[in-house]
């Protein structure tokens, strides 16, 4: 085992292409997405309807407006004026704070905020929504440092002009998901397929080494490298783009690790079916990467798609990971709000590992 | 057009040097191949054979030296060289998932043969190689021996004056191997120049002349009979081992 | 040591092995000789437990290749057709890796592989991909030997390797044999048959003959003549027209002409010269293994 892992690391570090896929692609993706979108969210005109006008509501509004993302276009005075504010076509978001905001928070640990968005440009709307949610979560923790994971302020989002859309577009969760998927699944499947292609797999099979040892030996180095890759993405997002990460970081990392292991077991599963590097690459690209991008709700909101495609989307592990990571990273939720999705990914992991071990051939056919 | 000075030479190589960094793969090679000659190009693994063949086929540039193939200069007339040579490697450059006729059509098309000509060639090859039973099959279903003969025929579909064969008989059964050499003889008798590499030392005997490369240099070049006499050897294998072991 | 009984194996409708039965003794250097596609690799893969036969059985070191594969795998050494090395690892790293997966170390069995390894030791920091064919072959053999296997399977170890490296390789096999390792080797090069204790000739999935090389040659029953002249291609075609001709093939310097009955050499020479071919030389020949193989092959075709 130890031997196997050493060998694997040596091979990875000697192959420039692997290193580029491992570390170059994530960095480039983050920078590209980051710079492209950063310009979108700056001085976005918004309107506010503050029904409380009390201590916390004022503090929250100040916090939102002091961020560099939003400027106040208009103070709306009543519900009736909302429609009119949007019709002017200037504002992208209207924040409605309920009555007795401070009181509700202090007495019941619960308060409502409504975010009404102009969703004619869904991606921007998604971005605005998540930035606002992030600021609200931050605020929540400032006023209550013993924050336990269950959110007190519940932002309720309403998308105008595109009402079905409620997906949150955030590039970091998307990029992390895609990169982990790419690196983990594609690289392991290719590296196993390469052994088959070169004939070294024959020698390994004939040796006393057990299939599980081969699998673990292959997986271990990639777990570490993919994890480093994920850290790089998060680090870049956090430092270069001042991405708000409001959630629990250890939890975020633990979930990433789980997803990496899932993707790796998927990669091994692919390699049991592929006999050459080319096939492994194609299978990873078309069977994994494209559906992940298209159906995980990362770029295109899944809810806008036909039912049947939505169902297929449910079978895509990345969809669930995107939900988890958004919840933790942007909304600042704890494990309490993502346990279902975590269980689903855990299920996928167990399923693929089991299938791989079962399908991993101790012989050549 | 720079016409060939001596029209009886198919290949002229003068002081050919090819370096990869500080490694000298071809160290001042000098040889000529006559038209219609079967020229055996032997050497140990890593002696620089493949490098030299790549240069002769116009796939790689020499570091220095003069090379003339089929009357054309390797520096200025690479495209003309490519039109005037045939090439077959041990991997049989046929498409496994195409039929015989489709392979011939493809390669004929590459060399700009007319549709009529391709039809003629297809009929001729099927007849000549006894492939009647396989006209509908994909090439991968052909027995190895047929595949190899077909690959050779396809390599000369455009009737080039010179053919390069890179280990054409590796792993083939002894009867097929000999039938293949008869095919080579037949083409040589028609005036084609054959430039061939092989690891079977008995095949070296079939060549009119043989060169043996060691460490990037040509250590010996002559008729097999003369080489055996010079090195006081029973067979070409002995000659080869004496030279290659140094 | 190795006992193969009525082995059959097919892929789809291609019959790769047909009724193969062979006994290989302990300490023997045994060769399977035949061209590509004869079924050698399939047979080796069955013997090394990588494939399951359709029917028939095989026991290696008294272990069944299907049922006892786990135990068998710890005791056999295998070198597949293409030298299965990690091209991007150095010589030393390859050896250490293979030692590791067999739960041993390079030092432990150094004595066994020393005669082979010391030839490539000066290059131990070089990547396997940068080695010459001969050196790769030595490294692959060292890797296959590192756990001191009782039996060694070498599938076409000399294919694509030059004559010098081939000769050296066979010398190494002879010295391994002296250490008591049973060696089973396959090759398409007929001339390597003489270097084995016993051989099996294999063609299209069927065994043509099994015996000591010399015994197989001695069974050759035709009259064989070596003929050379200035125009070999014309000569071979002309000889095939000869009424006594069984076969006529190019054979290095000479054409090997097999005839049904004894032939008057002088008469034959005269006939050839009369047809305008010059520098004719005819000698009586003893068959070699390739003549035998071709003869057996022709018989099997019928």
């Amino acid at each position: 085992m130890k031997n196997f892992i050493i060998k694997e690391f040596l091979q990875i570090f000697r192959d420039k292409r692997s290193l580029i896929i491992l570390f170059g692609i994530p960095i480039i993706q983050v920078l590209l997405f980051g710079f492209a979108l950063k310009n979108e969210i700056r001085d976005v005109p918004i309107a506010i309807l503050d029904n409380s006008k009390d201590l916390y509501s004022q503090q929250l509004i100040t916090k939102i407006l002091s961020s560099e993302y939003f400027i106040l276009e208009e103070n709306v005075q009543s519900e009736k004026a909302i429609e009119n504010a949007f019709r002017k076509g200037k504002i992208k978001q209207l924040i409605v704070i309920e009555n007795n905001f401070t009181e509700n928070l202090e007495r019941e640990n619960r308060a409502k905020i409504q975010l009404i968005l102009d969703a004619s440009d869904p991606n921007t709307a998604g971005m605005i929504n998540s930035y606002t949610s992030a600021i609200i979560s931050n605020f929540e923790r400032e006023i209550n440092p013993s924050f336990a994971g269950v959110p007190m302020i519940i932002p309720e989002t309403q998308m105008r002009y595109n009402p079905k859309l409620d997906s949150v577009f955030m590039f970091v969760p998307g990029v992390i998901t895609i990169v982990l998927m790419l690196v983990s699944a594609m690289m392991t499947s290719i590296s196993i397929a390469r052994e088959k292609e070169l004939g070294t797999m024959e020698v390994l099979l004939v040796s006393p080494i057990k299939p599980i040892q081969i699998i673990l030996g292959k997986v271990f180095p990639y777990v570490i490298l993919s994890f480093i890759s994920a850290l790089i993405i998060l680090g870049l997002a956090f430092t270069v783009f001042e991405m708000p990460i409001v959630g629990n970081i250890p939890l975020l990392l633990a979930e990433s690790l789980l997803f990496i292991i899932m993707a790796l077991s998927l990669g091994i599963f692919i390699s049991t079916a592929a006999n050459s590097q080319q096939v492994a690459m194609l299978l990873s690209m078309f069977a994994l990467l494209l559906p992940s991008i298209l159906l995980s709700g990362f770029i295109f909101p899944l809810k806008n798609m036909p039912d049947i495609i939505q169902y297929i989307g449910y079978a895509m592990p990345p969809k669930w990971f995107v939900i988890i990571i958004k919840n933790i990273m942007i909304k600042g939720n704890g494990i309490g709000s993502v346990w279902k999705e975590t269980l689903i990914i855990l299920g996928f992991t167990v399923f693929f590992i089991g299938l791989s071990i079962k399908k991993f051939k101790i012989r050549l056919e | 057009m720079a016409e060939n000075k001596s029209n009886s030479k198919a290949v002229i190589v003068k002081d050919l040097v090819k370096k990869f960094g500080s490694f000298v793969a071809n160290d001042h090679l000098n040889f000529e191949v006559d038209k219609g000659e079967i020229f055996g190009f032997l050497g140990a693994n890593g002696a620089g054979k493949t490098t030299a063949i790549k240069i002769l086929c116009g796939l790689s540039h020499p570091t220095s030296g003069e090379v003339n193939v089929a009357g054309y200069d390797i520096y200025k007339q690479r495209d003309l060289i490519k039109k005037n040579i045939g090439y077959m490697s041990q991997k049989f450059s046929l498409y496994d998932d195409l039929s015989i006729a489709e392979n011939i059509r493809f390669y004929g098309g590459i060399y700009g043969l007319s549709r009529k000509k391709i039809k003629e060639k297809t009929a001729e090859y099927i007849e000549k190689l006894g492939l009647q039973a396989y006209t509908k099959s994909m090439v991968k279903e052909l027995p190895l021996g047929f595949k190899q003969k077909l690959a050779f025929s396809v390599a000369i579909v455009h009737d080039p004056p010179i053919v390069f064969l890179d280990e054409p008989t590796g792993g083939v059964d002894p009867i097929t191997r000999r039938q293949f050499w008869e095919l080579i003889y037949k083409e040589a008798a028609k005036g084609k120049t054959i430039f061939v590499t092989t690891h079977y030392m008995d095949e070296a005997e079939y060549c009119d002349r043989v060169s043996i490369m060691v460490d990037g240099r040509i250590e010996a070049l002559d008729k097999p009979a003369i080489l055996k006499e010079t090195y006081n050897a029973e067979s070409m294998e002995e000659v080869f081992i004496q030279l290659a072991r140094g | 040591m190795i006992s193969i009984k009525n082995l059959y194996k097919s892929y789809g409708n291609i019959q790769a092995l047909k009724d193969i039965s062979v006994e290989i003794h302990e300490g023997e250097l045994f060769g399977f000789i035949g061209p590509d596609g004869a079924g050698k690799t399939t047979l080796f893969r069955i013997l090394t437990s990588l494939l399951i036969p359709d029917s028939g059985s095989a026991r290696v070191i008294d272990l069944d290749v299907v049922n006892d594969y786990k135990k068998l795998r710890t005791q056999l050494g295998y070198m597949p057709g293409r030298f299965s090395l990690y091209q991007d690892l150095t010589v030393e790293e390859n050896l250490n890796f293979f030692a590791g997966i067999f739960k041993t170390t390079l030092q432990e069995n150094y004595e066994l592989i020393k005669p082979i390894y010391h030839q490539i030791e000066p290059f131990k920091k070089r990547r396997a991909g940068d080695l010459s064919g001969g050196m790769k072959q030595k490294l692959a053999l060292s890797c296959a030997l590192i756990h001191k296997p009782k039996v060694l399977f070498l599938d076409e170890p000399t294919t694509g390797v030059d004559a010098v490296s081939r000769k050296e390789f066979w010398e190494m096999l002879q010295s391994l044999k002296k250490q008591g390792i049973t060696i089973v080797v396959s090759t398409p090069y007929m001339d390597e048959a003489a270097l084995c204790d016993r051989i099996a000739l294999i063609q299209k999935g069927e065994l043509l003959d099994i015996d000591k090389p010399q015994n197989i040659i001695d069974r050759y029953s035709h009259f064989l003549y070596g003929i050379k002249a200035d125009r070999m291609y014309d000569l071979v075609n002309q000889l095939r027209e000869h009424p006594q001709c069984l076969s006529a093939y190019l054979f290095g310097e000479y054409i090997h002409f097999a005839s049904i009955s004894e032939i008057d050499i002088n008469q034959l020479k005269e006939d050839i010269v009369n047809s305008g071919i010059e520098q004719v030389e005819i000698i009586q020949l003893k068959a070699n293994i390739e003549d035998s193989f071709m003869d057996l092959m022709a018989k099997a075709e019928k």
Side-chain angles (χ1 to χ4, degrees):
Chain A
M1 267 295 277
K2 197 185 100 206
N3 249 283
F4 211 114
I5 293 167
I6 293 174
K7 172 215 132 208
E8 233 22 77
F9 269 120
L10 281 173
Q11 290 191 301
I12 296 167
F13 285 121
R14 280 183 192 162
D15 183 12
K16 290 199 186 72
R17 279 180 308 171
S18 314
L19 288 179
I20 289 174
I21 295 183
L22 267 167
F23 299 114
I25 290 183
I27 292 173
I28 290 168
Q29 285 217 7
V30 171
L31 294 181
L32 275 180
F33 273 107
F35 281 119
L37 287 169
K38 204 180 171 187
N39 294 331
E40 295 265 312
I41 311 298
R42 174 144 302 178
D43 298 337
V44 176
I46 59 170
I48 292 174
L49 168 55
D50 185 355
N51 288 321
S52 306
K53 295 205 172 70
D54 55 16
L55 176 67
Y56 282 157
S57 80
Q58 289 300 321
Q59 276 183 4
L60 178 61
I61 289 168
T62 315
K63 193 167 170 63
I64 291 172
L65 293 180
S66 64
S67 77
E68 56 186 346
Y69 310 119
F70 306 111
I71 49 169
L72 185 65
E73 178 72 26
E74 167 170 15
N75 261 316
V76 179
Q77 299 305 331
S78 69
E79 307 271 336
K80 284 175 204 148
I82 292 176
E83 209 57 41
N84 203 28
F86 270 105
R87 279 219 187 108
K88 287 182 203 155
K90 259 200 165 170
I91 59 161
K92 295 280 180 202
Q93 175 173 247
L94 197 149
I95 302 173
V96 183
I97 302 177
E98 66 173 350
N99 271 324
N100 306 325
F101 188 67
T102 308
E103 208 182 312
N104 287 349
L105 268 181
E106 285 183 335
R107 289 232 182 109
E108 296 168 35
N109 273 339
R110 243 179 145 66
K112 266 193 233 154
I113 278 189
Q114 210 184 4
L115 306 177
I116 306 169
L117 287 121
D118 173 356
S120 48
D121 174 358
N123 284 348
T124 315
M127 285 287 284
I128 294 169
N129 183 305
S130 44
Y131 271 72
T132 316
S133 306
I135 294 171
I136 294 171
S137 302
N138 263 334
F139 171 75
E140 201 173 302
R141 268 189 288 172
E142 272 169 29
I143 59 168
N144 183 5
S146 63
F147 172 70
V150 183
M152 297 180 302
I153 303 176
I154 303 153
E156 191 188 291
T157 302
Q158 196 192 97
M159 293 286 180
R160 293 231 161 180
Y161 312 116
N162 190 357
K164 271 185 153 179
L165 174 123
D166 63 353
S167 85
V168 177
F169 173 77
M170 281 297 290
F171 76 91
V172 172
V175 171
I176 291 187
T177 310
I178 297 303
V179 164
L180 293 186
M181 201 73 185
L182 179 86
V183 167
S184 312
M186 189 151 95
M187 300 274 282
T188 36
S189 64
I190 288 178
S191 96
I192 292 183
R194 185 172 57 187
E195 300 235 10
K196 288 191 192 173
E197 214 174 284
L198 292 176
T200 42
M201 191 52 93
E202 264 179 75
V203 180
L204 293 183
L205 286 177
V206 166
S207 79
I209 196 166
K210 293 189 184 69
I212 181 80
Q213 288 176 305
I214 299 181
I215 290 180
L216 288 179
K218 279 277 170 202
V219 161
F220 185 77
Y222 287 105
V223 169
I224 294 192
L225 295 173
S226 307
F227 194 66
I228 293 175
S229 201
L231 288 178
I232 292 179
I233 302 173
L234 285 175
L236 271 180
F238 194 65
T239 55
V240 180
F241 301 110
E242 296 150 26
M243 206 64 217
I245 300 181
V246 294
N248 182 330
I249 290 178
L251 177 63
L252 183 66
L253 296 182
E255 293 278 1
S256 304
L257 201 60
L258 174 66
F259 183 71
I260 288 171
I261 295 172
M262 193 288 308
L264 288 170
S265 46
L266 190 52
I268 290 167
F269 175 63
I270 290 177
S271 71
T272 59
N275 279 320
S276 72
Q277 296 182 66
Q278 265 184 351
V279 176
M281 170 95 92
L282 284 176
L283 275 179
S284 319
M285 285 297 265
F286 290 103
L288 284 183
L289 206 59
L290 287 182
S292 313
I293 294 177
L294 298 178
L295 300 181
S296 63
F298 160 40
I299 290 178
F300 308 109
L302 197 59
K303 291 228 162 132
N304 285 2
M305 294 190 183
D307 283 354
I308 184 136
I309 290 178
Q310 288 193 36
Y311 288 125
I312 299 173
Y314 288 132
M316 297 285 148
K319 175 195 157 74
W320 305 107
F321 185 61
V322 169
I323 295 176
I324 292 176
I325 203 169
K326 270 186 210 159
N327 262 297
I328 298 175
M329 214 168 91
I330 296 150
K331 297 187 186 155
N333 294 346
I335 181 77
S337 66
V338 293
W339 64 271
K340 269 190 220 153
E341 288 79 5
T342 309
L343 270 185
I344 291 174
I345 291 186
L346 202 64
F348 275 118
T349 312
V350 172
F351 176 71
F352 286 126
I353 290 181
L355 214 56
S356 310
I357 292 178
K358 198 162 170 260
K359 271 206 76 184
F360 193 89
K361 290 164 194 135
I362 50 160
R363 295 196 164 83
L364 283 176
E365 44 163 32
Chain B
M1 197 184 282
E3 257 308 312
N4 194 342
K5 284 157 241 153
S6 51
N7 277 324
S8 63
K9 302 293 180 200
V11 178
I12 303 171
V13 174
K14 274 186 199 148
D15 279 322
L16 169 65
V17 176
K18 176 75 183 182
K19 288 184 190 168
F20 296 103
S22 62
F23 175 71
V24 185
N26 290 159
D27 186 1
H28 294 276
L29 302 188
N30 279 293
F31 63 90
E32 295 182 345
V33 180
D34 291 327
K35 279 190 179 161
E37 188 175 25
I38 301 178
F39 188 83
F41 198 60
L42 311 184
N45 299 113
K49 280 179 303 183
T50 311
T51 311
I53 290 183
K54 276 193 181 152
I55 292 174
L56 292 180
C57 295
L59 298 176
S60 152
H61 260 311
T63 309
S64 67
E66 282 175 44
V67 181
N68 190 295
V69 177
Y72 302 107
D73 183 81
I74 199 80
Y75 294 99
K76 297 175 205 138
Q77 297 166 306
R78 265 215 241 190
D79 292 340
L80 282 170
I81 288 181
K82 287 186 182 170
K83 268 186 202 157
N84 283 284
I85 59 170
Y87 176 80
M88 171 190 167
S89 77
Q90 57 207 112
K91 282 175 198 113
F92 314 138
S93 31
L94 297 173
Y95 292 94
D96 264 352
D97 44 4
L98 295 183
S99 72
I100 297 171
E102 286 158 351
N103 264 291
I104 298 173
R105 195 194 307 152
F106 174 74
Y107 280 104
I110 286 184
Y111 288 101
L113 266 58
S114 68
R115 213 175 280 182
K116 193 173 146 241
K117 186 88 189 160
I118 290 173
K119 258 198 174 148
E120 276 170 32
K121 283 278 177 190
T122 309
E124 179 196 327
Y125 288 167
I126 287 174
E127 164 79 35
K128 193 175 74 180
L129 304 174
L131 291 168
Q132 289 87 347
Y134 297 103
T135 47
K136 294 223 161 55
S137 344
M138 296 298 120
V139 159
K140 66 180 165 212
E141 292 156 33
L142 292 184
L144 189 67
F146 281 122
K147 228 191 212 173
Q148 179 207 34
K149 284 177 225 164
L150 181 64
F152 178 69
S153 303
V154 167
I156 56 170
V157 72
H158 54 301
D159 212 11
I162 171 161
V163 197
F164 291 87
L165 305 173
D166 193 2
E167 283 182 44
T169 54
V172 174
D173 74 70
I175 293 184
T176 309
R177 206 148 68 79
R178 290 180 167 78
Q179 289 170 344
F180 187 74
W181 269 96
E182 286 174 25
L183 208 60
I184 294 179
Y185 268 107
K186 211 166 167 182
E187 291 304 323
K190 284 192 224 157
K192 275 203 189 0
T193 311
I194 314 282
F195 192 99
V196 59
T197 74
T198 178
H199 282 313
Y200 291 97
M201 285 305 132
D202 60 322
E203 292 185 349
E205 307 265 7
Y206 304 147
C207 302
D208 295 319
R209 284 192 308 148
V210 168
S211 77
I212 298 177
M213 271 188 90
V214 180
D215 296 334
R217 291 180 312 275
I218 292 183
E219 286 289 307
L221 197 172
D222 218 319
K223 293 193 166 84
I226 296 175
L227 285 177
K228 280 187 281 185
E229 215 175 284
T230 317
Y231 291 91
N232 197 13
E234 284 275 305
S235 63
M236 278 307 291
E237 173 141 15
E238 269 181 51
V239 174
F240 184 82
I241 288 171
Q242 270 188 42
L243 279 167
R245 273 200 172 159
Chain C
M1 187 69 182
I2 298 172
S3 164
I4 306 166
K5 284 198 187 102
N6 309 105
L7 219 52
Y8 281 85
K9 176 80 192 173
S10 60
Y11 302 104
N13 35 13
I14 298 163
Q15 192 74 41
L17 293 176
K18 253 180 264 176
D19 198 18
I20 304 281
S21 299
V22 185
E23 296 286 328
I24 297 171
H25 313 304
E26 191 163 348
E28 204 170 27
L29 174 49
F30 192 94
F32 283 93
I33 302 196
D36 286 0
K40 301 188 300 286
T41 299
T42 304
L43 180 60
F44 272 55
R45 285 179 172 167
I46 290 175
L47 295 180
T48 51
S49 81
L50 285 171
L51 288 179
I52 296 176
D54 294 342
S55 67
S57 70
R59 295 183 79 77
V60 176
I61 332 174
D62 223 26
L63 294 167
D64 188 88
V65 293
V66 179
N67 299 321
D68 310 323
Y69 75 93
K70 274 189 185 152
K71 195 155 178 224
L72 178 60
R73 286 178 180 185
T74 63
Q75 297 182 15
L76 62 81
Y78 173 46
M79 187 169 138
R82 307 150 289 174
F83 310 129
S84 301
L85 298 165
Y86 293 100
Q87 310 286 330
D88 44 1
L89 297 186
T90 64
V91 169
E92 209 175 20
E93 286 160 358
N94 264 294
L95 273 170
N96 284 328
F97 172 70
F98 284 108
I101 62 169
F102 282 100
K103 300 191 179 72
T104 177
T105 57
L106 178 53
Q107 286 72 31
E108 210 170 308
N109 291 311
Y110 189 74
E111 280 310 306
L112 180 69
I113 63 164
K114 191 179 153 194
I116 303 156
Y117 182 52
H118 88 259
Q119 301 176 47
I120 48 173
E121 210 168 358
F123 310 102
K124 66 182 178 188
K125 299 280 178 214
R126 197 183 281 188
R127 302 225 178 134
D130 299 333
L131 296 175
S132 72
M135 289 206 280
K136 269 186 199 159
Q137 184 194 37
K138 281 168 198 153
L139 176 57
L141 183 61
S142 303
C143 289
L145 279 170
I146 199 139
H147 58 298
K148 212 175 179 182
K150 289 186 182 147
V151 54
L152 191 56
F153 290 94
L154 308 171
D155 190 13
E156 300 206 14
T158 52
T159 295
V161 173
D162 64 68
V164 175
S165 304
R166 273 165 58 194
K167 195 167 176 333
E168 283 175 5
F169 193 79
W170 278 96
E171 285 161 8
M172 287 186 278
L173 294 189
Q174 301 294 350
S175 75
L176 283 175
K177 198 195 124 186
K178 286 200 188 92
Q179 307 206 35
I181 298 175
T182 308
I183 302 170
V184 185
V185 63
S186 76
T187 176
Y189 295 99
M190 303 281 151
D191 55 335
E192 291 177 352
L195 303 165
C196 303
D197 297 332
R198 283 196 311 139
I199 54 169
L201 300 181
I202 183 168
Q203 161 79 356
K204 291 186 180 164
E206 286 179 276
L207 289 184
L208 300 174
D209 207 349
I210 312 166
D211 211 331
K212 291 191 173 127
Q214 195 54 49
N215 293 348
I216 292 179
I217 293 169
D218 289 345
R219 277 200 284 275
Y220 187 83
S221 59
H222 312 299
F223 295 90
L224 195 64
Y225 302 93
I227 308 174
K228 70 173 177 183
D230 60 345
R231 278 156 41 209
M232 297 290 268
Y233 178 62
D234 293 334
L235 179 60
V236 82
N237 282 326
Q238 192 188 328
L239 287 170
R240 287 196 182 131
E241 302 296 314
H242 194 281
Q244 297 290 315
C245 175
L246 206 64
S247 70
Y249 284 113
L250 296 164
F251 237 102
E253 204 179 350
Y254 289 91
I255 287 168
H256 281 198
F257 174 68
S259 74
I260 302 159
S261 58
E262 195 161 1
I263 275 179
D264 181 347
I265 289 181
N266 289 327
Q267 182 62 47
L268 181 60
K269 189 169 177 174
E270 216 181 295
D271 290 348
I272 297 169
V273 172
N274 285 340
S275 71
I277 293 172
E278 285 169 26
Q279 296 163 24
V280 182
E281 192 189 317
I282 304 183
I283 53 170
Q284 200 141 19
L285 275 184
K286 274 196 176 145
N288 64 25
I289 195 73
E290 209 158 350
D291 291 307
S292 297
F293 190 94
M294 286 162 69
D295 186 41
L296 290 166
M297 222 176 117
K299 279 179 186 154
E301 301 270 287
K302 283 170 197 164

